[in-house]
Structures are given as structure tokens and as C-alpha cells.
Amino acid sequence: TSLPGLPVRLRLALLDRLFRAMDSQDSRVLERFAAAYSGLGRRGVSRLPGLGGKAVLARVALRTVELHAHRLGGYWRKQIPPPPATWTRLLTTFREAAGAGLLTRRSRDLSGSSRTTIGARMARLGLASVADPYAWEPELYPHLQRLLDLLAEDVLLFPASSPSAFAEARTGRFVMDVNGASGPCPPGPDSAADPVPGEADWWVLDASRVLDRLRDMDRAQRLGVPADRIHGGLPGIPEPARRVLMDRLAGHLRRERRRARPQTSEVSVQLVAGLEPAVRFCFAWRRSAGADHRSLNARIRLQSEVGIGGRTPPGQSTWKVVERSGSGLRLRAEGPLGATLVGRVVITIPPPYDAAGPEGPLQAGIVRWQRNEAQDAGGELGVELLPGSPRDCWCHAGREDGSRLPEQPGLWLPGEAAGWGSFLLPSGLARHGERMTLRTEEEQQVAQVQAVEERGVHFDRVTVRTTEAN
């Protein structure tokens, strides 16, 4: 950027061509290019008079925002929180561009294939941030990006010029301090997101129209409208992933700031992750009542040998309970975490592990988010605990043509009312109104699906009503 005698526009074109030729996603390379564009904007563009200087400055600022967005996306794909310095540099560029009146100037993006604005790019990035990038399975993440591209045009980004912008906050509205070092968050009383005169420069990210669009798209899908008539880009997302994405994205955009302070804890728990491993563990736990931990593991291995389960017994990992709330746990572990557990059914085993039984009952849960640390130093999980004591069972599900699928593992969570409860079964098997047979050692019941509570990549969660089989 400091080549003597080379015009600013040529320096900008040279940087663009060099970036496209390298086609690198390395965080250090992106940081170097972002610094080069920022330096070009500060040193060179000021020499250009009038509208020409504004146009080049808008291009430089857009490049810087795009590169920092690439860096954030790289961290999010690995489920690693980005360093605060990345947000600081991004928000500084955005604040300076807003002060220069450049947010609505259209320029070609880094790929050179389309024209966009700094405001639109920040709105798309803000939407990705409030969608909680740590709460998606790797299988869904590419489809999530495509859906966010379709919905970004409905996001509004505007300055909170008065406290009324916070008082009028509604579902789907988030706030962001461009003098800070973090992304948008839900507003709330007595929280870090409340405006402090003279200390913060607040902007509002309004995604309420995205919620309206998701509601309209869901209604159209239920009425059988073809995907290409709902939106031209929707057929590129597979139908099973489409429904999961839309339901969960709407839930993230409706969330409010947590107001209750969670309880801290110093205990640890063990996790058994995966639906079928959880079913096999619950079976072995019941059959090993009063036995020690070694006998329990022997029974789990025996299931594998006689063909009741898979070839390998379920792995157990120990996690420290950092926080405990009414709905779940925040867990932490040191060292490499292995494959992501987001979207997995888990069984939590309270201590002690080497006595006749735990201090508390087994509980079933779902991993809602995972945040890793750089260099495999450790990470955290957010686990939603499900009500009811989990019971292992196996289910037969029928089909409209009279055929029956092979027996599948499931977890039965009895409700307060007799005959009602939640049931966890492999993904894709649940349909509203469908009848299935639930088999345990003691009894066999016929269950009818009353409602599909949640669809996921690895499981479906349904509300069922049971009756005794003839």
C-alpha cells in the first residue's frame, strides 16, 4: 500500500487481484489484507478529492468489513469464540464508515461478482451472530449460511439515537455497541446492553421482519407450495434440513436476555453422548442396580457382544459443572473435545461413579451449543435438561402402506399425566398421528404421536400418548 508513485485506485485494484489469486482462508493472511486495506484508506484516499475519493473509500471500507467477516466465519465454523480484537477492528471500520456517510454506497465485493453496501454486509454478519453460530451441527452449517443469505435483505440496521429505541424493543431486535468488542445481543433491563450516555455508540439490529418471513415460509411449506415459488434460492436447501433450520433459527431470533442469575457449581458429571449409546447405558444401569461401576461397564460391553447394540460400548466423558439453572447446565472440560456434540442426546450421570448408585437420578438432555478453545485447550457445552426420568425402550414404527420399519432405540420420558410423555427416537421416523409400538422388558405399549416437538439431525422429539398393547 506504500508503493511510491502508484495511484490509489491502482493500489486498490492490485490488492483485489492479489487476494483473489491467493484465495486463502488462513486467519493470518486475512488479517494482513485487512490491515493493508485499512492503511490504504487512512493514508491514500484522503488525497482524492470529491466523489471519487468517497467511492474509493467506500470500496476500501467494504473490503475491510468483508475480510473481518471472513475471519469471524472461520472461527465460528470451528465453534471457537473470536478474539475481542477482531470485533474491535470490525466495529471501528463500521463506525468510521458510518461517520463518513458510506454505509449505503454500493461497491463490488471482494469476489467481483456482485455489488453490495457496507450496511448490507454488516446486517448479514449481525444476523449470523445473533443466530448463535455455536449451536449448529456441522451437517447444517453450510445450509444455514445459504438461508441467512436469503433472509439478510429483511434485516434493518440503524443507530439508537435515543433511549426510546431500547424502550420500544420487541421480539427479534438486538443491540450493538460499535465502541465495544462484541456482536449484537438482546436488550434487557440492568444489563450490559443498556445505553450509558457518553460511553457507548449503540446501534439496533432489527430482525423482526426475518421472523415474519420465516413464519410465511413455514406456512407456505405446510400448505404444499413448491419451494421455488416460496423463494428462488430455497430449493438449494434440502427439505429435511430446511424445516430444522427454519424452526431453530426462529427460536434463536426470539430469545431474550437471560435475567435470572444461574447457580455456580463445583461438582462434575459424566456424559454418555448419542441416542443409541444413551439407550444402552440406561438399560445397563437398570440391570446393574446396586453394582459398582466396573459391573456396569461389563453389562454395556455384553450388549455389544450379543448384538443388542453397536460394536463399541458408549464412551463416557467427565465434565465440570460451571453453572446450573432451572433449564440446564453449562459444562467445561480441558483438553481436546473431539467431534462436536451439538444436537446430540446425552445422559448425565451425577457422582459418585464408583458406588452403588449416583447421588441423584439419571437425566436426559440435549447439547444446545459448544464453544471450543483454540489449540484444543478445552471447551464448554450448554446442555438443556429434559423433564422426566429417562427409560430405555425399542420402538416399531409403521407406515401408510402397511410396512414396518426395523426396531429402533428410543428414550421414553414419562410426563406428569398418566399415559403421556415425551419420546426421543432417531431422526426422520416421527410423523404426527402415527402409531408405534414401544417395547421394554416389563411391558409393551402402543403410542400415538400427538405432536412433533423438535426435529434434529440426530433425533426427533415427540409428545405421545400410550395405551397397553393387546
Side-chain angles (χ1 to χ4, degrees), residues 3 12 97 134 162 187 192 201 227 232 291 309 311 360 391 411 439:
L3 295 176
L12 179 57
Y134 313 105
S162 69
D201 185 1
R311 292 187 176 181
R391 295 197 58 190
L411 278 181
R439 178 181 63 83

Side-chain angles (χ1 to χ4, degrees), residues 251-407:
H252 288 305
L253 297 183
R254 292 193 192 101
R255 77 180 190 274
E256 298 179 353
R257 177 171 290 274
R258 185 175 63 181
R259 299 179 183 180
R261 186 177 296 275
Q263 300 175 357
T264 58
S265 176
E266 294 296 330
V267 302
S268 61
V269 297
Q270 286 192 338
L271 294 185
V272 176
L275 179 58
E276 185 169 345
V279 172
R280 289 192 279 134
F281 182 87
C282 288
F283 170 81
W285 187 270
R286 286 192 300 104
R287 297 298 296 258
S288 302
D292 58 16
H293 191 52
R294 183 178 301 176
S295 299
L296 171 65
N297 284 334
R299 289 191 177 275
I300 296 175
R301 286 193 298 271
L302 179 62
Q303 292 183 72
S304 301
E305 294 171 3
V306 301
I308 298 178
R311 292 187 176 181
T312 57
Q316 301 172 28
S317 54
T318 302
W319 297 74
K320 178 183 177 182
V321 180
V322 179
E323 291 180 354
R324 182 188 301 271
S325 66
S327 59
L329 306 171
R330 182 161 72 94
L331 308 177
R332 176 169 179 79
E334 305 296 335
L337 302 186
T340 179
L341 297 178
V342 173
R344 298 279 184 178
V345 175
V346 295
I347 292 292
T348 64
I349 315 166
Y353 311 118
D354 54 354
E359 293 180 349
L362 299 180
Q363 284 189 278
I366 301 171
V367 179
R368 293 304 186 187
W369 54 263
Q370 177 174 333
R371 295 190 182 98
N372 301 327
E373 294 183 358
Q375 301 177 349
D376 291 330
E380 295 185 346
L381 295 181
V383 178
E384 177 190 358
L385 296 177
L386 303 178
S389 178
R391 295 197 58 190
D392 56 283
C393 67
W394 295 80
C395 67
H396 266 305
R399 284 295 178 254
E400 296 176 356
D401 59 2
S403 62
R404 293 177 68 83
L405 298 174
E407 198 172 47

Side-chain angles (χ1 to χ4, degrees), residues 79-412:
Q79 294 179 314
I80 299 176
T86 303
W87 274 110
T88 299
R89 296 187 186 103
L90 171 66
L91 295 175
T92 299
T93 302
F94 175 76
R95 183 180 67 246
E96 293 175 352
L102 304 176
L103 296 188
T104 58
R105 281 186 171 270
R106 301 185 68 84
S107 304
R108 287 203 175 275
D109 59 13
L110 269 173
S111 66
S113 59
S114 61
R115 297 176 65 86
T116 185
T117 65
I118 299 171
R121 196 68 185 86
M122 280 296 297
R124 166 64 174 82
L125 181 64
L127 182 61
S129 177
V130 300
D132 196 349
Y134 313 105
W136 301 91
E137 298 89 331
E139 299 90 340
L140 288 179
Y141 196 80
H143 303 308
L144 171 66
Q145 302 311 308
R146 183 168 297 180
L147 181 61
L148 294 179
D149 289 339
L150 304 182
L151 299 172
E153 60 186 16
D154 294 314
V155 179
L156 300 177
L157 187 62
F158 53 88
S161 55
S162 69
S164 63
F166 297 87
E168 297 168 1
R170 59 179 185 271
T171 302
R173 180 172 286 185
F174 302 83
V175 292
M176 174 176 64
D177 176 17
V178 298
N179 286 335
S182 61
C185 60
D190 301 325
S191 69
D194 293 328
V196 180
E199 297 184 9
D201 185 1
W202 292 99
W203 284 66
V204 174
L205 181 84
D206 191 348
S208 58
R209 296 199 306 176
V210 175
L211 286 172
D212 295 337
R213 173 70 70 91
L214 288 172
R215 192 179 305 112
D216 294 341
M217 292 167 67
D218 181 65
R219 185 184 302 114
Q221 283 195 132
R222 294 180 185 277
L223 293 174
V225 179
D228 58 341
R229 295 190 60 183
I230 300 175
H231 194 288
L234 209 54
I237 305 175
E239 196 279 332
R242 193 186 309 152
R243 180 163 297 182
V244 175
L245 286 169
M246 292 168 60
D247 289 346
R248 285 169 54 180
L249 179 59
H252 288 305
L253 297 183
R254 292 193 192 101
R255 77 180 190 274
E256 298 179 353
R257 177 171 290 274
R258 185 175 63 181
R259 299 179 183 180
R261 186 177 296 275
Q263 300 175 357
T264 58
S265 176
E266 294 296 330
V267 302
S268 61
V269 297
Q270 286 192 338
L271 294 185
V272 176
L275 179 58
E276 185 169 345
V279 172
R280 289 192 279 134
F281 182 87
C282 288
F283 170 81
W285 187 270
R286 286 192 300 104
R287 297 298 296 258
S288 302
D292 58 16
H293 191 52
R294 183 178 301 176
S295 299
L296 171 65
N297 284 334
R299 289 191 177 275
I300 296 175
R301 286 193 298 271
L302 179 62
Q303 292 183 72
S304 301
E305 294 171 3
V306 301
I308 298 178
R311 292 187 176 181
T312 57
Q316 301 172 28
S317 54
T318 302
W319 297 74
K320 178 183 177 182
V321 180
V322 179
E323 291 180 354
R324 182 188 301 271
S325 66
S327 59
L329 306 171
R330 182 161 72 94
L331 308 177
R332 176 169 179 79
E334 305 296 335
L337 302 186
T340 179
L341 297 178
V342 173
R344 298 279 184 178
V345 175
V346 295
I347 292 292
T348 64
I349 315 166
Y353 311 118
D354 54 354
E359 293 180 349
L362 299 180
Q363 284 189 278
I366 301 171
V367 179
R368 293 304 186 187
W369 54 263
Q370 177 174 333
R371 295 190 182 98
N372 301 327
E373 294 183 358
Q375 301 177 349
D376 291 330
E380 295 185 346
L381 295 181
V383 178
E384 177 190 358
L385 296 177
L386 303 178
S389 178
R391 295 197 58 190
D392 56 283
C393 67
W394 295 80
C395 67
H396 266 305
R399 284 295 178 254
E400 296 176 356
D401 59 2
S403 62
R404 293 177 68 83
L405 298 174
E407 198 172 47
Q408 300 291 333
L411 278 181
W412 165 246

